[in-house]
Protein backbone atom coordinates (compact mmCIF):
# COMPACT_ATOMS: atom_id res chain seq x y z
CA UNK A 1 0.00 0.00 0.00
CA UNK A 2 1.12 3.55 -0.62
CA UNK A 3 3.31 4.78 2.24
CA UNK A 4 2.00 8.33 2.04
CA UNK A 5 -1.61 7.16 2.14
CA UNK A 6 -0.75 5.00 5.12
CA UNK A 7 0.80 7.97 6.94
CA UNK A 8 -2.30 10.06 6.25
CA UNK A 9 -4.54 7.31 7.60
CA UNK A 10 -2.41 6.80 10.72
CA UNK A 11 -2.49 10.53 11.52
CA UNK A 12 -6.25 10.56 10.99
CA UNK A 13 -6.70 7.61 13.37
CA UNK A 14 -4.68 9.37 16.06
CA UNK A 15 -6.46 12.69 15.64
CA UNK A 16 -9.97 11.22 15.27
CA UNK A 17 -9.45 8.99 18.31
CA UNK A 18 -10.63 5.68 16.81
CA UNK A 19 -10.62 3.49 13.74
CA UNK A 20 -14.36 4.03 13.31
CA UNK A 21 -14.14 7.82 13.40
CA UNK A 22 -11.15 7.76 11.02
CA UNK A 23 -13.09 5.49 8.64
CA UNK A 24 -16.06 7.88 8.67
CA UNK A 25 -13.78 10.90 8.05
CA UNK A 26 -12.05 9.10 5.16
CA UNK A 27 -15.22 7.54 3.70
CA UNK A 28 -13.71 4.05 3.81
CA UNK A 29 -14.43 0.92 5.82
CA UNK A 30 -13.02 0.24 9.28
CA UNK A 31 -11.37 -2.84 7.79
CA UNK A 32 -9.46 -0.66 5.33
CA UNK A 33 -8.30 1.60 8.17
CA UNK A 34 -7.07 -1.41 10.14
CA UNK A 35 -5.28 -2.73 7.06
CA UNK A 36 -3.36 0.55 6.67
CA UNK A 37 -2.23 0.49 10.32
CA UNK A 38 -1.32 -3.19 10.21
CA UNK A 39 0.78 -2.67 7.06
CA UNK A 40 2.76 0.13 8.70
CA UNK A 41 3.33 -1.90 11.89
CA UNK A 42 4.54 -4.88 9.88
CA UNK A 43 6.93 -2.69 7.86
CA UNK A 44 8.31 -1.02 11.00
CA UNK A 45 8.30 -4.18 13.12
CA UNK A 46 6.70 -2.32 16.03
CA UNK A 47 3.27 -1.59 17.55
CA UNK A 48 2.01 1.94 17.04
CA UNK A 49 -1.20 1.79 19.06
CA UNK A 50 -2.44 0.08 22.20
CA UNK A 51 -6.16 -0.56 21.66
CA UNK A 52 -8.81 -1.57 24.15
CA UNK A 53 -12.57 -1.70 23.83
CA UNK A 54 -12.78 1.78 25.36
CA UNK A 55 -9.83 3.69 24.04
CA UNK A 56 -6.59 3.70 22.08
CA UNK A 57 -3.20 4.97 23.13
CA UNK A 58 0.00 5.65 21.21
CA UNK A 59 3.04 3.58 21.99
CA UNK A 60 6.42 5.29 22.35
CA UNK A 61 7.23 4.34 18.76
CA UNK A 62 3.75 5.41 17.71
CA UNK A 63 4.18 8.85 19.29
CA UNK A 64 7.49 9.41 17.48
CA UNK A 65 6.09 8.11 14.20
CA UNK A 66 3.01 10.34 14.53
CA UNK A 67 5.12 13.48 15.03
CA UNK A 68 7.34 12.67 12.06
CA UNK A 69 4.35 11.79 9.86
CA UNK A 70 2.78 15.16 10.57
CA UNK A 71 5.98 16.89 9.47
CA UNK A 72 6.25 14.80 6.30
CA UNK A 73 2.61 15.42 5.38
CA UNK A 74 3.00 19.15 6.03
CA UNK A 75 6.07 19.28 3.75
CA UNK A 76 4.23 17.29 1.11
CA UNK A 77 1.28 19.69 1.25
CA UNK A 78 3.63 22.66 1.01
CA UNK A 79 5.44 21.12 -1.96
CA UNK A 80 2.18 20.53 -3.82
CA UNK A 81 0.90 24.01 -3.01
CA UNK A 82 4.16 25.59 -4.16
CA UNK A 83 4.16 23.61 -7.41
CA UNK A 84 0.54 24.55 -8.12
CA UNK A 85 1.27 28.19 -7.31
CA UNK A 86 4.25 28.14 -9.66
CA UNK A 87 2.00 26.80 -12.40
CA UNK A 88 -0.58 29.53 -11.90
CA UNK A 89 1.64 32.56 -11.16
CA UNK A 90 4.54 33.50 -13.45
CA UNK A 91 7.65 33.30 -11.29
CA UNK A 92 11.12 31.80 -11.44
CA UNK A 93 14.02 31.83 -13.90
CA UNK A 94 13.77 31.42 -17.69
CA UNK A 95 16.87 30.49 -19.70
CA UNK A 96 16.62 31.85 -23.24
CA UNK A 97 18.79 31.97 -26.39
CA UNK A 98 18.52 34.49 -29.25
CA UNK A 99 20.60 35.67 -32.24
CA UNK A 100 23.25 38.24 -31.38
CA UNK A 101 22.06 41.38 -33.21
CA UNK A 102 18.34 40.75 -32.84
CA UNK A 103 18.72 39.71 -29.22
CA UNK A 104 20.86 42.60 -28.04
CA UNK A 105 19.18 45.42 -29.96
CA UNK A 106 15.56 44.35 -30.42
CA UNK A 107 14.72 41.62 -27.93
CA UNK A 108 16.28 43.09 -24.77
CA UNK A 109 14.00 46.17 -24.68
CA UNK A 110 10.95 43.91 -24.99
CA UNK A 111 12.23 41.57 -22.27
CA UNK A 112 12.64 44.61 -20.04
CA UNK A 113 8.98 45.46 -20.61
CA UNK A 114 8.02 41.85 -19.86
CA UNK A 115 9.93 41.81 -16.56
CA UNK A 116 8.26 45.07 -15.55
CA UNK A 117 4.91 43.37 -16.12
CA UNK A 118 5.97 40.14 -14.35
CA UNK A 119 8.29 41.19 -11.49
CA UNK A 120 8.72 37.64 -10.15
CA UNK A 121 10.23 36.28 -13.38
CA UNK A 122 13.99 36.49 -14.00
CA UNK A 123 15.60 35.91 -17.42
CA UNK A 124 19.04 34.67 -18.41
CA UNK A 125 19.64 35.52 -22.08
CA UNK A 126 22.42 33.90 -24.11
CA UNK A 127 23.25 35.52 -27.45
CA UNK A 128 24.20 32.95 -30.07
CA UNK A 129 23.45 32.74 -33.80
CA UNK A 130 23.47 28.94 -33.77
CA UNK A 131 20.29 26.88 -33.46
CA UNK A 132 19.65 26.38 -29.73
CA UNK A 133 19.81 22.80 -28.44
CA UNK A 134 16.72 22.42 -26.26
CA UNK A 135 17.24 18.70 -25.64
CA UNK A 136 19.83 19.13 -22.89
CA UNK A 137 17.36 21.00 -20.69
CA UNK A 138 19.59 24.03 -20.13
CA UNK A 139 17.52 26.26 -22.43
CA UNK A 140 13.74 26.60 -22.18
CA UNK A 141 13.05 29.09 -24.95
CA UNK A 142 14.83 30.23 -28.08
CA UNK A 143 14.52 32.52 -31.07
CA UNK A 144 16.13 31.22 -34.28
CA UNK A 145 16.56 32.74 -37.71
CA UNK A 146 16.27 30.02 -40.34
CA UNK A 147 14.60 26.64 -40.61
CA UNK A 148 14.06 24.44 -37.54
CA UNK A 149 14.13 20.66 -37.92
CA UNK A 150 14.74 19.47 -34.36
CA UNK A 151 12.43 16.67 -33.19
CA UNK A 152 9.95 17.30 -30.35
CA UNK A 153 10.35 21.06 -30.70
CA UNK A 154 7.50 23.53 -31.18
CA UNK A 155 8.51 26.18 -33.76
CA UNK A 156 6.08 29.10 -33.90
CA UNK A 157 6.63 31.49 -36.82
CA UNK A 158 7.53 35.08 -36.05
CA UNK A 159 7.66 37.96 -38.50
CA UNK A 160 10.27 37.27 -41.18
CA UNK A 161 13.76 38.58 -40.59
CA UNK A 162 14.16 41.31 -43.22
CA UNK A 163 17.50 42.99 -43.92
CA UNK A 164 17.63 46.43 -45.53
CA UNK A 165 20.28 48.85 -46.81
CA UNK A 166 21.13 52.12 -45.10
CA UNK A 167 23.88 54.72 -44.84
CA UNK A 168 24.51 57.95 -42.97
CA UNK A 169 23.41 61.27 -44.55
CA UNK A 170 27.05 62.40 -44.50
CA UNK A 171 28.19 59.35 -46.50
CA UNK A 172 25.47 59.84 -49.11
CA UNK A 173 26.23 63.55 -49.46
CA UNK A 174 29.88 62.73 -50.15
CA UNK A 175 29.48 59.63 -52.36
CA UNK A 176 26.00 59.93 -53.83
CA UNK A 177 22.98 57.62 -53.54
CA UNK A 178 22.83 54.43 -55.67
CA UNK A 179 19.66 53.98 -57.69
CA UNK A 180 20.13 50.30 -58.63
CA UNK A 181 21.93 47.40 -56.89
CA UNK A 182 24.52 47.25 -59.69
CA UNK A 183 25.82 50.66 -58.48
CA UNK A 184 26.76 49.21 -55.07
CA UNK A 185 30.04 48.07 -56.64
CA UNK A 186 31.14 51.73 -56.71
CA UNK A 187 30.40 52.23 -53.00
CA UNK A 188 31.95 51.20 -49.72
CA UNK A 189 29.78 48.33 -48.48
CA UNK A 190 30.20 47.18 -44.91
CA UNK A 191 30.82 43.44 -45.19
CA UNK A 192 29.48 40.66 -43.02
CA UNK A 193 32.57 38.62 -42.19
CA UNK A 194 30.93 35.23 -41.56
CA UNK A 195 28.92 35.10 -44.80
CA UNK A 196 30.09 32.51 -47.33
CA UNK A 197 29.83 34.96 -50.26
CA UNK A 198 31.42 38.15 -48.98
CA UNK A 199 31.78 39.69 -52.44
CA UNK A 200 28.08 40.04 -53.21
CA UNK A 201 24.66 40.76 -51.71
CA UNK A 202 21.74 38.85 -53.18
CA UNK A 203 18.91 41.37 -53.15
CA UNK A 204 15.22 40.99 -53.92
CA UNK A 205 13.43 43.70 -55.90
CA UNK A 206 9.92 45.12 -55.67
CA UNK A 207 8.46 42.42 -57.94
CA UNK A 208 10.38 39.55 -56.37
CA UNK A 209 13.22 39.65 -58.89
CA UNK A 210 16.66 38.71 -57.60
CA UNK A 211 19.92 40.54 -58.28
CA UNK A 212 23.37 39.47 -57.13
CA UNK A 213 24.99 42.81 -56.46
CA UNK A 214 28.81 42.73 -56.44
CA UNK A 215 30.18 44.64 -53.43
CA UNK A 216 33.46 45.72 -51.94
CA UNK A 217 34.59 47.83 -49.04
CA UNK A 218 37.30 48.53 -46.49
CA UNK A 219 35.51 47.38 -43.32
CA UNK A 220 34.08 43.99 -42.31
CA UNK A 221 32.87 42.53 -39.02
CA UNK A 222 31.16 39.44 -37.69
CA UNK A 223 28.99 41.58 -35.39
CA UNK A 224 26.00 43.52 -36.69
CA UNK A 225 26.36 46.12 -33.92
CA UNK A 226 29.85 46.96 -35.18
CA UNK A 227 28.60 47.30 -38.76
CA UNK A 228 25.75 49.56 -37.62
CA UNK A 229 28.20 51.76 -35.70
CA UNK A 230 30.47 51.97 -38.75
CA UNK A 231 27.52 53.09 -40.87
CA UNK A 232 26.57 55.74 -38.30
CA UNK A 233 30.12 57.11 -38.56
CA UNK A 234 29.97 57.38 -42.34
CA UNK A 235 32.06 54.33 -43.26
CA UNK A 236 29.67 53.06 -45.90
CA UNK A 237 26.42 51.28 -46.73
CA UNK A 238 25.25 48.65 -44.27
CA UNK A 239 22.97 45.64 -44.79
CA UNK A 240 21.32 44.84 -41.47
CA UNK A 241 17.92 43.77 -40.08
CA UNK A 242 15.16 46.33 -40.47
CA UNK A 243 14.28 45.91 -36.79
CA UNK A 244 17.85 46.87 -35.83
CA UNK A 245 18.06 49.96 -38.08
CA UNK A 246 14.51 51.33 -37.92
CA UNK A 247 15.14 53.60 -34.91
CA UNK A 248 18.25 55.12 -36.53
CA UNK A 249 16.25 55.70 -39.72
CA UNK A 250 13.33 57.23 -37.82
CA UNK A 251 15.71 59.60 -36.01
CA UNK A 252 17.52 60.57 -39.23
CA UNK A 253 20.85 59.10 -38.19
CA UNK A 254 20.65 56.72 -41.16
CA UNK A 255 18.85 56.88 -44.49
CA UNK A 256 17.32 53.97 -46.42
CA UNK A 257 19.32 53.08 -49.52
CA UNK A 258 17.54 51.37 -52.44
CA UNK A 259 14.27 51.25 -50.43
CA UNK A 260 12.58 49.02 -53.03
CA UNK A 261 15.26 46.36 -52.51
CA UNK A 262 16.12 44.15 -49.54
CA UNK A 263 17.86 40.92 -48.74
CA UNK A 264 15.55 37.93 -49.20
CA UNK A 265 13.45 37.66 -46.00
CA UNK A 266 14.49 34.80 -43.71
CA UNK A 267 11.95 32.91 -41.57
CA UNK A 268 12.28 33.39 -37.81
CA UNK A 269 10.82 31.13 -35.12
CA UNK A 270 10.14 31.07 -31.41
CA UNK A 271 11.06 27.54 -30.30
CA UNK A 272 10.51 25.49 -27.15
CA UNK A 273 10.13 21.87 -26.10
CA UNK A 274 6.76 20.17 -26.42
CA UNK A 275 5.03 20.16 -23.03
CA UNK A 276 1.34 19.58 -22.42
CA UNK A 277 1.54 21.65 -19.20
CA UNK A 278 4.18 24.38 -19.51
CA UNK A 279 4.89 26.49 -16.45
CA UNK A 280 3.15 29.83 -15.99
CA UNK A 281 6.42 31.72 -16.48
CA UNK A 282 7.01 30.03 -19.84
CA UNK A 283 3.40 30.43 -21.00
CA UNK A 284 3.39 34.12 -20.14
CA UNK A 285 6.71 34.80 -21.90
CA UNK A 286 5.66 32.86 -25.01
CA UNK A 287 2.38 34.79 -25.22
CA UNK A 288 4.21 38.08 -24.69
CA UNK A 289 6.78 37.44 -27.43
CA UNK A 290 4.19 36.17 -29.88
CA UNK A 291 2.18 39.38 -29.34
CA UNK A 292 5.31 41.48 -29.99
CA UNK A 293 6.95 39.55 -32.83
CA UNK A 294 4.36 37.10 -34.18
CA UNK A 295 3.13 37.16 -37.75
CA UNK A 296 0.36 39.67 -38.42
Amino acid sequence: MDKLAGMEMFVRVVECGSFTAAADASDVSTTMVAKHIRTIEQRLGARLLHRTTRRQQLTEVGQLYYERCRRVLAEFSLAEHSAMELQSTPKGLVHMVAPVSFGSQVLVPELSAYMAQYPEVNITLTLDNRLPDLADGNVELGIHIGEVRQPNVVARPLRSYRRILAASPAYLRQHGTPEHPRELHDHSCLGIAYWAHQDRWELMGPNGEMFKAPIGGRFMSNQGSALRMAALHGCGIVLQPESVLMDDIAQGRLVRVLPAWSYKPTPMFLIYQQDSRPSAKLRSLIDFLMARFGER
Side-chain angles (χ1 to χ4, degrees), residues 102-204:
F102 179 85
S104 60
Q105 300 184 56
V106 180
L107 180 61
V108 167
E110 297 296 346
L111 293 180
S112 299
Y114 169 84
M115 289 188 291
Q117 185 175 340
Y118 297 98
E120 295 186 81
V121 179
N122 301 325
I123 296 173
T124 295
L125 175 64
T126 299
L127 298 177
D128 194 329
N129 290 330
R130 294 172 297 180
L131 178 64
D133 183 7
L134 305 182
D136 60 10
N138 293 325
V139 177
E140 297 167 271
L141 195 62
I143 290 178
H144 180 65
I145 300 169
E147 297 299 331
V148 178
R149 295 185 177 87
Q150 289 182 349
N152 303 317
V153 167
V154 178
R156 298 183 63 177
L158 304 176
R159 291 194 294 276
S160 295
Y161 200 64
R162 187 165 175 261
R163 297 175 179 90
I164 61 173
L165 299 163
S168 70
Y171 174 87
L172 295 176
R173 281 195 300 269
Q174 183 176 356
H175 300 281
T177 301
E179 297 184 0
H180 189 276
R182 70 173 66 92
E183 298 175 29
L184 290 173
H185 185 265
D186 299 323
H187 285 266
S188 175
C189 295
L190 304 173
I192 302 171
Y194 58 83
W195 277 17
H197 302 289
Q198 299 171 352
D199 60 344
R200 62 180 182 269
W201 287 341
E202 190 169 351
L203 303 176
M204 185 171 67

Side-chain angles (χ1 to χ4, degrees), residues 177-254:
T177 301
E179 297 184 0
H180 189 276
R182 70 173 66 92
E183 298 175 29
L184 290 173
H185 185 265
D186 299 323
H187 285 266
S188 175
C189 295
L190 304 173
I192 302 171
Y194 58 83
W195 277 17
H197 302 289
Q198 299 171 352
D199 60 344
R200 62 180 182 269
W201 287 341
E202 190 169 351
L203 303 176
M204 185 171 67
N207 299 313
E209 68 272 28
M210 303 300 298
F211 185 87
K212 295 180 180 180
I215 64 163
R218 297 175 57 200
F219 183 80
M220 298 179 67
S221 176
N222 66 333
Q223 292 291 337
S225 57
L227 296 172
R228 169 182 166 269
M229 190 60 66
L232 288 170
H233 283 79
C235 288
I237 298 174
V238 69
L239 174 64
Q240 280 293 292
E242 182 178 30
S243 55
V244 170
L245 301 180
M246 60 184 180
D247 187 55
D248 292 320
I249 293 171
Q251 298 299 321
R253 295 186 291 266
L254 293 176

